[in-house]
Amino acid sequence: MLNTRIQHGEFVLSTNGNILVARLSGSWNEEAARAFDRHFREHAAGLASAPWGHMVLLDDWQLGVPEMRPVIEALVHWCIDNGLRRAAHVYQPSLLKKLQLEDLVTGSEQGFQRRAFSSVDVALAWLKEEGFELNDELDPLLGADSHQGRS
């Protein structure tokens, strides 16, 4: 049977220094979460030989359906098992985003910590203090290494 389910929600990924940067947008369904999971693991595999950080830009993300939860939870555990130590979520204050993200991503586990910020600069400063730094201070999502997550 042909899968007619269409991905709703988009993402862009970029690896810069020892940080994997993701920009999420739209309202996500399970297909978007599965595509993100697949592409994220491909990008993260290049970082997994040493501890690494993650910055997620979420201002354009409009939450997700409950069916994406097990996909994202499994990805979070895979990341922690494969060297992710710090995650910076960047978005303007939103109670709904805060609640959904806290439900999807642990705050701390096995040396991992997640924090929310309203500014990219403050998030990058925290990641740098924790030992994770960009090689290029320009927007890493505009570089040649970025990958569009919409098919």
Side-chain angles (χ1 to χ4, degrees):
M1 185 166 147
L2 181 62
N3 181 0
T4 57
R5 299 197 56 167
I6 297 171
Q7 175 182 328
H8 295 280
E10 299 178 8
F11 59 89
V12 181
L13 298 171
S14 176
T15 304
N16 188 321
N18 60 354
I19 299 175
L20 199 161
V21 181
R23 181 185 308 268
L24 281 52
S25 60
S27 189
W28 278 35
N29 64 359
E30 183 181 353
E31 287 72 23
R34 290 191 184 286
F36 181 73
D37 176 79
R38 184 174 64 254
H39 293 293
F40 193 98
R41 289 178 194 238
E42 289 171 7
H43 268 74
L47 296 170
S49 63
W52 53 283
H54 179 39
M55 183 168 68
V56 192
L57 307 172
L58 294 155
D59 275 333
D60 297 327
W61 181 62
Q62 300 165 0
L63 306 177
V65 299
E67 292 81 8
M68 70 173 233
R69 180 179 179 172
V71 177
I72 299 302
E73 286 177 339
L75 176 59
V76 169
H77 290 292
W78 180 89
C79 288
I80 293 169
D81 290 344
N82 285 276
L84 177 61
R85 294 297 170 255
R86 299 292 182 268
H89 291 175
V90 182
Y91 59 95
Q92 292 307 304
S94 163
L95 182 58
L96 288 176
K97 282 183 187 177
K98 179 181 186 291
L99 292 173
Q100 187 164 43
L101 291 166
E102 286 176 355
D103 190 45
L104 291 171
V105 182
T106 182
S108 64
E109 175 181 320
Q110 299 175 21
F112 167 77
Q113 272 185 29
R114 173 189 48 83
R115 290 197 185 161
F117 302 90
S118 59
S119 155
V120 168
D121 291 339
V122 176
L124 285 173
W126 176 69
L127 287 169
K128 186 175 183 175
E129 286 173 10
E130 298 293 318
F132 305 101
E133 214 170 341
L134 299 177
N135 285 338
D136 181 1
E137 291 299 325
L138 297 175
D139 183 350
L141 297 179
L142 299 178
D145 192 31
S146 65
H147 175 81
Q148 294 286 343
R150 178 95 170 131
S151 1

